[in-house]
Amino acid sequence: ITRAERRAARGEAPPPEVQRQLQAPGASVARLERKIFVIGSERCPSVQGWRRGPPENYLKKCDQYHLVPEPKMMQLIQSLHKAKRPELDLKDQRIGDDHACAVMDSMACSDPIHVIVKNCRLKAKGVKAVCDALVAHCTRLEELDMSDNQCRRPKAAKAVAALLDCKGCDSLEKLSLSHCGLASAPALTITSEWAHRVEGRRAMRNLVELHLAKNDLGVAAETLGGLLGPYGAFPMLRLLDL
């Protein structure tokens, strides 16, 4: 919750300098002034209710999930779409499942090459939202870090497996799934997908780093062991962190 929202909840007026800006007529573009959004002469104590300017998809999704859009997310989406080699870094933001569902599609539309969603407090729903967005939009992914999120549910494991099977991950160089709750069953879902890649002669030939530490892989570790080597799923692998 922002300071502006706290002031609004207490019924307090914004600071005098902000009031003067709010009264300025003729503003046609929304702008952020000390966490108060101004659209024309209207006062919006938070971004809730703000409906102008890109990215519209994010705002609509926030409506759908009853969320208050965050200015930093808006700025990140806009900067991603302007970059030639977009890098999406949400490390330690702890956005949660609903906000991941709202924001990931808009962010993935920029076709990022690095996606870091480490420690974002994602469960099965959020993990699936991230994976589905990347499957739909990414064509040149080089790094994916989903560590410190919960992938132990079958829904999440299947979503990760589907992502790793898409063509956008053929260029993947670094994959991190450490501390994701990958026990035997969910880990087998993912390792089985890698085995299918080997059978289909679609090895991940660019992958050089694979991080799976702090997971109880169980019998999936044996499957993973059979996929190593120059003729396995990762012929260029140089670092395996278990």
Side-chain angles (χ1 to χ4, degrees), residues 134-154:
L134 296 178
V135 168
H137 300 292
C138 286
T139 62
R140 51 179 178 171
L141 198 60
E142 295 179 4
E143 178 183 358
L144 175 62
D145 189 346
M146 298 185 67
S147 301
D148 298 316
N149 294 296
Q150 296 185 27
C151 299
R152 64 175 180 266
R153 299 275 184 184

Side-chain angles (χ1 to χ4, degrees), residues 208-213 224-225 228 234 237-242:
V208 294
E209 291 187 29
L210 176 58
H211 299 268
L212 294 170
L224 179 62
L228 302 178
F234 327 107
L237 193 65
R238 296 292 178 268
L239 174 62
L240 176 59
D241 181 14
L242 296 175

Side-chain angles (χ1 to χ4, degrees), residues 184-202:
S184 294
L188 272 173
T189 302
I190 296 174
T191 54
S192 297
E193 192 58 56
W194 287 331
H196 293 157
R197 272 184 169 266
V198 175
E199 293 172 3
R201 297 184 180 180
R202 296 177 51 243

Side-chain angles (χ1 to χ4, degrees), residues 1 18 24 54 69 84 110 119 160 163 170 178 193 208-209 214 233:
I1 184 171
V18 176
K84 292 182 179 180
S110 63
N119 192 24
V160 173
L163 171 60
D170 289 348
S178 300
E193 192 58 56
V208 294
E209 291 187 29
K214 298 181 180 179

